[in-house]
Amino acid sequence: MVDENSYVPPAVWAWDQDSGDRFGNNVNRLNRPIAGATSERALPVGHHPLQLYSLGSPNGQKVTICLEELLALGIDEAEYDAWFIDIGEGDQFTSGFVDINPNSKIPAMVDRSGSEPIRIFESGAILFHLAEKFGKFIPLSGAARAECLSWLFWQVGSTPSVGGGFGHFYAYAPAKIEYAIDRFALEVKRQMDVLDRRLAQSEYIAGPDYTIADMAIWPWYGGLARGEIYDAGEFLGVHNYRHVQRWTEMLGARKAVRRGAIVNRSFGDSSNQLRERHDASDFQNMIQEDRE
């Protein structure tokens, strides 16, 4: 057990490459104090206009849910290839990925539908790009548009306290530090209360209509509400947020949400994993393979 009071910061911070967490030997491929590529490798390119390079984590699910919702509306131009990025193996630090996202985080996308490829990185930016491109899941103007964008960027700004804060110290850190866990648990519960109060007033996050704000928030906070993220449902008392629970179940019943949630997924039940997605038939093929 690490003594919480034993650490005195040095005058100048230095990177301890031997420090670790549950990721063990992969820690130096996941976290570094420098940016840039560590290896030369081009990314694959499929046949569809939209090329997604991602992982089925909550941040990745936001984009695949949006794409599946667009396809469910019959928008063929939203067809996409979803390539698996194995962050445990350092795929995010290859030259091809860094060319698309210099921050080396999933998801990243290239839109090849125009005369010149367009790179888009950061999940919020990708959702906004898709909503604007196809004119769906975002109000066109006025107060409704402002509400949608406000909640979208609320998620972008708030969720690091869930993942990098609470999740790290509760589930991944090599020692359980009471102060750190309490600090971030307090903030996560405050955020859940923000959502619960909002959803007591509104069917969806941004109002009466389903938008990219819901798609951004559901993978993280819906996952918390179901007790699936960090196995922390009981600890956080998620059953108390009944309006979040109502909304979580409503979105989880959507076919496109269920599809998007399993794309690029490499963990959990094998029946909920579609490592790569290149065609709608891949979902049916996955079910058939799982039954064999």
Side-chain angles (χ1 to χ4, degrees):
M1 181 67 179
V2 175
D3 182 354
E4 296 181 23
N5 299 312
S6 64
Y7 176 68
V8 177
V12 178
W13 182 84
W15 182 26
D16 180 4
Q17 298 190 39
D18 294 326
S19 65
D21 50 28
R22 78 162 188 136
F23 297 104
N25 293 331
N26 285 335
V27 67
N28 291 330
R29 283 183 289 187
L30 292 172
N31 298 295
R32 303 176 300 150
I34 55 175
T38 60
S39 63
E40 294 292 324
R41 191 199 318 164
L43 291 174
V45 178
H47 298 294
H48 295 305
L50 301 174
Q51 298 293 304
L52 178 66
Y53 304 92
S54 191
L55 175 71
S57 66
N59 282 335
Q61 289 174 25
K62 300 177 203 176
V63 177
T64 48
I65 287 171
C66 184
L67 288 165
E68 291 298 329
E69 291 283 12
L70 290 166
L71 290 169
L73 293 178
I75 301 174
D76 294 339
E77 294 82 0
E79 268 293 355
Y80 68 104
D81 291 279
W83 302 95
F84 180 72
I85 297 298
D86 191 340
I87 64 172
E89 293 301 317
D91 289 353
Q92 70 276 33
F93 298 121
T94 61
S95 57
F97 192 88
V98 172
D99 283 345
I100 298 175
N101 185 355
N103 195 39
S104 293
K105 303 289 184 181
I106 64 94
M109 174 179 281
V110 178
D111 184 344
R112 296 179 176 273
S113 61
S115 58
E116 295 290 336
I118 299 172
R119 75 174 188 182
I120 317 102
F121 57 93
E122 292 296 323
S123 56
I126 297 173
L127 288 177
F128 184 76
H129 174 81
L130 293 172
E132 289 282 278
K133 179 182 179 72
F134 297 111
K136 301 294 183 182
F137 303 120
I138 186 170
L140 296 179
S141 62
R145 182 180 178 86
E147 191 75 15
C148 175
L149 292 177
S150 294
W151 284 106
L152 172 63
F153 287 102
W154 175 87
Q155 184 277 314
V156 171
S158 296
T159 303
S161 292
V162 179
F166 174 76
H168 176 79
F169 288 106
Y170 182 79
Y172 303 146
K176 301 299 183 186
I177 302 172
E178 182 179 4
Y179 172 80
I181 293 173
D182 285 350
R183 169 67 183 85
F184 286 106
L186 180 149
E187 175 60 13
V188 171
K189 288 182 69 67
R190 188 193 69 81
Q191 292 175 15
M192 290 290 280
D193 194 45
V194 168
L195 289 175
D196 205 57
R197 290 169 184 266
R198 171 58 180 167
L199 290 165
Q201 304 170 338
S202 178
E203 183 176 9
Y204 294 100
I205 292 294
D209 299 320
Y210 178 52
T211 70
I212 54 173
D214 297 283
M215 299 174 198
I217 294 169
W218 185 85
W220 279 104
Y221 296 89
L224 284 172
R226 297 190 304 274
E228 296 175 357
I229 293 183
Y230 310 124
D231 195 25
E234 181 179 5
F235 180 77
L236 294 172
V238 296
H239 64 281
N240 293 311
Y241 304 105
R242 61 188 183 90
H243 302 292
V244 175
Q245 293 289 348
R246 183 269 304 168
W247 168 82
T248 295
E249 292 179 11
M250 179 174 64
L251 265 64
R254 298 178 69 93
K255 183 177 180 180
V257 170
R258 296 197 304 271
R259 284 186 170 217
I262 66 173
V263 175
N264 293 144
R265 191 178 178 95
S266 63
F267 53 91
D269 193 307
S270 61
S271 64
N272 290 320
Q273 296 181 30
L274 184 61
R275 192 178 177 94
E276 289 189 359
R277 186 264 189 218
H278 302 287
D279 188 84
S281 62
D282 291 340
F283 293 101
Q284 186 61 36
N285 293 338
M286 179 192 70
I287 294 172
Q288 293 174 349
E289 291 172 2
D290 189 60
R291 288 174 177 172
E292 293 177 354

